[in-house]
């Protein structure tokens, strides 16, 4: 289970509610890409992801497995969303109203920026965007010699957000400090 789910499950659930409410219809595949782009934007901007989900190198992009499996029944976000099938796609709909209590104004600014910049794009457009030369997904795929085909569409390799801020000491320090805090919170919640 990712650090994000251990510590931020409610925050992630509410973020999904916000996206599903704002971007109707919200297809499951688009949701997965938008969550990644929100975290990438937050890291680029200040060094700290919003969700702390662990994104893996999968064939169709960076995917946090917990968000992929929300199309299953039951799932960890059932109290936040409902799903409906439309031909071969899953549409995500909010089950509750968005609760912004876990979000800072800064978080909401980053989320709004991503919605404005990418919310109009299709899932296919977002996959192309995250697969471009030089993206974290592209770098990890190449470095780990991952070859996808019909029988191999996932990998266990995680994307390392620190790579996009490695030349910025302040952002890197922000990331490391925030991660230590998240890990501490995860340990407390286990007790």
């Amino acid at each position: 289970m990712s650090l994000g789910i251990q510590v931020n499950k409610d925050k992630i659930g509410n973020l999904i509610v916000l996206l599903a409410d704002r971007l109707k219809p919200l297809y499951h595949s688009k949701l997965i890409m938008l969550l990644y782009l929100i975290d990438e934007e937050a890291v680029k901007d200040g060094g700290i992801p919003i969700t702390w989900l662990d994104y893996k190198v999968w064939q169709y992009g960076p995917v946090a497995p917990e968000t992929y499996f929300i199309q299953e029944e039951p799932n960890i976000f059932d109290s936040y969303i409902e799903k409906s099938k439309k031909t071969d796609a899953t549409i995500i709909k909010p089950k509750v109203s968005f609760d912004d209590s876990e979000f800072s104004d800064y978080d909401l600014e980053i989320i709004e920026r991503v919605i404005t910049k990418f919310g109009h794009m299709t899932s296919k457009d977002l996959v192309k965007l995250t697969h471009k030369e030089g993206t974290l997904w592209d770098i990890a795929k190449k470095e780990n010699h991952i070859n996808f085909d019909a029988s191999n569409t996932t990998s266990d390799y995680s994307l390392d957000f620190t790579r996009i801020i490695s030349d910025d000491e302040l952002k890197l320090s922000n990331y490391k400090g925030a991660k230590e805090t998240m890990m501490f919170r995860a340990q407390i919640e286990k007790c």
Side-chain angles (χ1 to χ4, degrees):
M1 182 182 307
S2 75
L3 189 58
I5 297 299
Q6 290 177 54
V7 180
N8 275 346
K9 180 182 162 218
D10 292 330
K11 186 175 190 176
I12 297 165
N14 271 295
L15 177 53
I16 295 170
V17 166
L18 174 65
L19 294 171
D21 187 52
R22 293 279 305 280
L23 302 169
K24 297 174 187 165
L26 179 61
Y27 290 94
H28 178 238
S29 53
K30 183 172 180 173
L31 167 66
I32 291 169
M33 293 293 105
L34 288 172
L35 289 170
Y36 170 77
L37 290 167
I38 287 167
D39 279 337
E40 181 183 71
E41 182 73 18
V43 170
K44 285 178 179 177
D45 194 73
I48 304 169
I50 291 175
T51 71
W52 288 96
L53 287 166
D54 181 18
Y55 297 94
K56 305 291 186 182
V57 181
W58 284 15
Q59 183 174 13
Y60 294 107
V63 176
E66 294 96 345
T67 62
Y68 177 80
F69 292 110
I70 64 174
Q71 61 188 341
E72 310 279 324
E73 296 291 343
N75 73 75
I76 60 174
F77 297 113
D78 275 344
S79 60
Y80 296 95
I81 58 165
E82 57 187 47
K83 300 153 306 274
S84 61
K85 288 285 187 182
K86 181 179 177 184
T87 56
D88 62 345
T90 301
I91 297 174
I92 307 298
K93 297 178 183 177
K95 193 184 273 188
V96 297
S97 297
F98 173 64
D99 176 5
D100 69 357
S101 64
E102 300 214 27
F103 297 87
S104 68
D105 289 342
Y106 176 75
D107 290 342
L108 294 171
E109 178 187 315
I110 295 289
I111 293 163
E112 187 60 37
R113 190 181 314 160
V114 170
I115 290 171
T116 300
K117 192 172 180 181
F118 304 112
H120 67 282
M121 297 173 79
T122 67
S123 301
K124 287 181 183 179
D125 292 336
L126 295 173
V127 168
K128 287 179 190 175
L129 179 74
T130 60
H131 282 58
K132 282 185 177 178
E133 182 82 24
T135 61
L136 285 181
W137 181 91
D138 176 63
I139 292 166
K141 181 180 177 288
K142 289 175 180 173
E143 286 181 352
N144 295 292
H145 310 288
I146 303 169
N147 294 308
F148 294 114
D149 59 35
S151 64
N152 178 36
T153 60
T154 65
S155 83
D156 289 328
Y157 293 100
S158 295
L159 297 179
D160 179 5
F161 279 124
T162 63
R163 294 187 77 148
I164 57 177
I165 56 172
S166 62
D167 60 343
D168 188 319
E169 285 301 318
L170 178 60
K171 290 177 185 175
L172 200 54
S173 177
N174 289 347
Y175 181 91
K176 289 176 181 177
K179 186 170 184 177
E180 284 180 24
T181 300
M182 293 294 288
M183 291 170 69
F184 180 73
R185 286 179 55 199
Q187 288 300 320
I188 289 174
E189 290 186 21
K190 282 183 183 178
C191 298

